[in-house]
């Protein structure tokens, strides 16, 4: 499996501001994903980060609120825009090394608290 | 509709007891993959096992074992002789087309010394 890092590991932000979370992998990967885990809840897929093109968003998530970039095969960013307390969650990136049926490995997560 | 159901919200056991976590899934696909992940208090999600829909062999890895039964759409996970370090939230997940993971609600396991 790959070594996946996320920055920041945690942050406390004021409502109305934006935060960009970085996900870095130590090797090239085919697939990269972003998930949200609200307090005490399970994981929900936000979007698939596509290299060189727009991300593919799941129902309930929009690009204006969660813009995603993936400039190459080892790096992606997720921005949480115009934050509200409801955005307080753990945000995790995951990677798939091979094809569409491959195992996903997860980064350590970013704990976001919005005041 | 919920694709993965983990009916047990919390399980508490004393060290050395066995604990079984239930997972029931729902899919119309003939090809799919099932996973178990562990999330310790640190928050990182740790991959435990992946099983494809054509392989119903049970698997054992140390104190962990998994029972996959297509007839009942279940993929249960047993920890034998539990230890305090096993305390975590355990998630069952299903992957259908496009590698999208659908997670169950998770089961919190607490192992008391």
């Amino acid at each position: 499996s790959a070594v996946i890092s996320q920055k920041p590991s945690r942050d406390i932000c004021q409502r109305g501001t934006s935060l960009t979370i970085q996900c870095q992998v130590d090797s090239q990967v085919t697939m990269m994903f972003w998930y949200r885990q609200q307090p005490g809840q399970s994981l929900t897929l936000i979007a698939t980060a596509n290299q060189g093109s727009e991300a593919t968003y799941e129902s309930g998530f929009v690009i204006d609120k969660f813009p995603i970039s993936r400039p190459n095969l080892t790096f992606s960013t997720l921005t949480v825009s115009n934050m509200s307390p409801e955005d307080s969650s753990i945000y995790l990136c995951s990677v798939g090394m091979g094809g569409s049926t491959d195992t996903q490995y997860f980064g350590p997560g970013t704990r976001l608290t919005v005041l | 509709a919920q694709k993965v159901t983990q009916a047990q919200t919390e399980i508490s056991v004393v060290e050395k007891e066995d604990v079984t976590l239930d997972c029931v899934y729902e899919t119309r696909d003939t090809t799919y993959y099932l996973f178990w992940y562990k999330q310790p208090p640190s928050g990182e999600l740790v991959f435990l096992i992946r099983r494809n829909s054509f392989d119903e062999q049970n698997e054992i890895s140390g104190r962990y074992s998994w029972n996959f039964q297509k007839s009942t759409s279940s993929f249960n996970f047993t920890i034998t002789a539990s230890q305090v370090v096993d305390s975590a939230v355990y998630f069952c997940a299903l992957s259908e087309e496009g590698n999208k993971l659908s997670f169950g609600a998770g089961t919190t396991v607490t192992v008391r010394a």
Side-chain angles (χ1 to χ4, degrees):
Chain A
S1 63
V3 176
I4 307 164
S5 60
Q6 285 186 233
K7 289 182 182 180
S9 58
R10 60 178 62 232
D11 207 341
I12 301 173
C13 300
Q14 297 296 320
R15 70 168 66 213
T17 63
S18 298
L19 176 73
T20 295
I21 302 168
Q22 298 179 3
C23 179
Q24 179 76 55
V25 193
D26 69 343
S27 58
Q28 293 186 343
V29 296
T30 307
M31 314 285 285
M32 293 184 80
F33 304 87
W34 287 98
Y35 289 81
R36 180 177 73 182
Q37 186 178 24
Q38 295 176 300
Q41 303 296 313
S42 186
L43 284 80
T44 301
L45 179 64
I46 297 172
T48 303
N50 300 309
Q51 195 263 328
S53 65
E54 192 171 287
T56 304
Y57 290 84
E58 296 301 304
S59 175
F61 297 96
V62 295
I63 187 171
D64 289 347
K65 176 65 176 177
F66 298 101
I68 288 171
S69 78
R70 188 177 174 193
N72 56 51
L73 294 177
T74 63
F75 185 78
S76 178
T77 67
L78 167 74
T79 299
V80 186
S81 303
N82 188 24
M83 288 184 286
S84 67
E86 291 71 36
D87 294 319
S88 297
S89 298
I90 299 175
Y91 292 87
L92 300 102
C93 71
S94 73
V95 305
M97 307 294 289
S100 62
T101 59
D102 199 20
T103 297
Q104 287 185 34
Y105 296 93
F106 286 78
T110 296
R111 291 178 183 267
L112 172 61
T113 301
V114 184
L115 303 177
Chain B
Q2 187 77 11
K3 291 187 178 182
V4 179
T5 301
Q6 293 181 255
Q8 305 148 305
T9 305
E10 296 184 29
I11 300 176
S12 181
V13 298
V14 177
E15 219 172 8
K16 297 184 183 178
E17 287 185 349
D18 297 347
V19 56
T20 295
L21 310 181
D22 298 333
C23 174
V24 175
Y25 63 92
E26 181 181 333
T27 180
R28 294 181 179 180
D29 289 358
T30 54
T31 302
Y32 54 89
Y33 298 81
L34 295 163
F35 301 82
W36 276 95
Y37 288 87
K38 172 182 179 181
Q39 188 175 43
S42 61
E44 187 164 357
L45 215 61
V46 179
F47 165 73
L48 296 178
I49 190 170
R50 171 177 181 256
R51 173 68 72 224
N52 74 57
S53 53
F54 299 106
D55 182 3
E56 286 194 73
Q57 269 194 326
N58 292 330
E59 180 157 340
I60 298 175
S61 176
R63 295 184 297 105
Y64 295 170
S65 62
W66 291 269
N67 182 277
F68 176 31
Q69 292 193 354
K70 287 180 74 171
S71 61
T72 56
S73 296
S74 65
F75 186 42
N76 297 337
F77 172 33
T78 297
I79 303 172
T80 303
S82 60
Q83 301 175 2
V84 173
V85 293
D86 296 325
S87 296
V89 182
Y90 291 86
F91 291 98
C92 180
L94 167 70
S95 174
E96 299 165 293
E97 64 166 310
N99 206 19
K100 296 181 184 180
L101 281 177
S102 299
F103 283 85
T107 299
T108 300
V109 174
T110 302
V111 182
R112 308 187 307 277

